[in-house]
Amino acid sequence: MGRAFVYVILGGGVAAGYAAHEFVKRGVSHGELCIISEEPVAPYERPALSKGYLLPEDPARLPAFHCCVGSNEERLTPKWYKENGIELVLGTRVKSADVRRKTLLTATGETITYKILIVATGARALKLEEFGVSGSDAESVCYLRDLADANRLVNVMQSSGGGNAVVIGGGYIGMECAASLVIGKINVTMVFPEAHCMARLFTPKIASFYEEFYRSKGVKFVKGTVLTSFDFDSNDKMTAVNLRDGTKLPADMVIVGIGIRPNTSLFEGQLTLEKGGIKVNGQMQSSNSSVYAVGDVATFPVKIFGETRRLEHVDSARKSARHAVAAIMEPEKTTEFDYLPFFYSRVFTLSWQFYGDSTGDVVHFGDFLGNSFGAYWVNKGHVVGSFLEGGTKEEYEAIAKITRLKPAIEDLSDLETQGLGFALTLSDKPDSSEAVVVSSSSGSTFVTEKPLHVWHATAGVILAASIAAFAYWYGRRRRRW
């Protein structure tokens, strides 16, 4: 028993939905495309699970956040897939893949063949057991990766109203879930081993702002230590958690957000892996020309930094999925993926965006006592990253633009003085100019080298004409000899 398709998307997360949308935009025929997903629902916007889905009042529920509403496009309900001739194979686990034979074997024994495969298997949440701590199977211990996790978490939250929650981890999941717990009137303590929250991205100064804001909402922080065990009463109800530093915290529930691991096991030994993911080129194509990888599972070239990276964020999933489909459907028209790393979050009344890379010297600016501030990262004399809290659409666009431009910085103190104004001024400059020079109030300058394609083209025409003229003159002279 089996089925055959031209294109198969393996995985049913964000990347799968955006890939399907791109296939339809580019004219895929009915019956050519199939999506295989372990989840029982059509692809949806995962960020909703740690935000609106957990709210006690008017929570987000499907079908409201099916792809592609996260980018303000149409909502792809099951009806949309049917109308466009896309086969949804839901609630189905693939237990093996053979990229040489181009086949996938499901847990039910069905063989699905393809001509082109897009791997969008995403990642799984790391479990406490992988760090030597048992107890993940306890009723009040929650993870958050998919819709089933979210439903379970909502039920535990509802039964813990007015109680105590301990959040293990200070990253995205930890910070966003903690906010939802507070809104749900649950007492929250966050525990993580780092010196401050969001340690992979935030500077100590930026982290301090968010930690103080969370404290104002009643959140407590225990830093520099980790969970070691749970306490349960005679009825197997959780009562407390124990930390490595000897602290015991009362707990009715625990949310664990300690990272993810890409789902690559089906392809180990068949595709080239790098940095934890499936290595792909600028077209999102793997070491097997019939297999592409997108989203959290893909390690791809980040052109702006000249190295390969695996990025864990919804924006990368959306855009890499679209690019892969473009490369599959119109390879001769599709250039290499040129992605600017982008991360964002929205909690309480706060909203921040980050672009680029968080390496080098940090220049903070703005009002850290208010709610509008930011930072630039300057590495080897150039801006390589930018962060802004409380910005407008135009301001976020400005920091994104200057991060891609990578302007040269001569004086960090002047950059601090100009702050957001530096990005706004520079982003207003025309793209076609040879260089942009921005003067500061103290007389220092910032220079960004801009694309010289217009001048290169002009110079090329002049050079070609000169060569042709010389060849004509030389030919006439030889005939006279």
Side-chain angles (χ1 to χ4, degrees), residues 116 142 222 296:
I116 298 291
C142 302
V222 179
D296 290 353

Side-chain angles (χ1 to χ4, degrees), residues 230-241:
F230 302 96
D231 287 349
F232 298 92
D233 63 18
S234 57
N235 297 317
D236 290 329
K237 184 179 184 302
M238 182 184 294
T239 59
V241 299

Side-chain angles (χ1 to χ4, degrees), residues 184 243 367 427:
L243 309 183
D367 180 14
S427 66

Side-chain angles (χ1 to χ4, degrees), residues 393-412:
K393 179 176 180 292
E394 293 73 21
E395 289 168 344
Y396 287 132
E397 290 173 351
I399 66 168
K401 184 173 181 179
I402 67 111
T403 304
R404 185 174 285 281
L405 290 176
K406 298 175 69 173
I409 301 299
E410 296 179 354
D411 190 321
L412 296 181

Side-chain angles (χ1 to χ4, degrees), residues 29-30 53 145 171 174 182 193 195 197 249 254 257 323 334 338 347 351 359 388 421 429 440 467:
S29 298
H30 282 224
Y53 203 87
R145 189 64 190 170
V182 168
C197 69
L249 299 173
V254 170
H323 192 86
T334 305
D338 188 10
V347 291
S351 177
T359 59
L388 183 62
K429 299 295 180 180
S440 72
I467 292 171

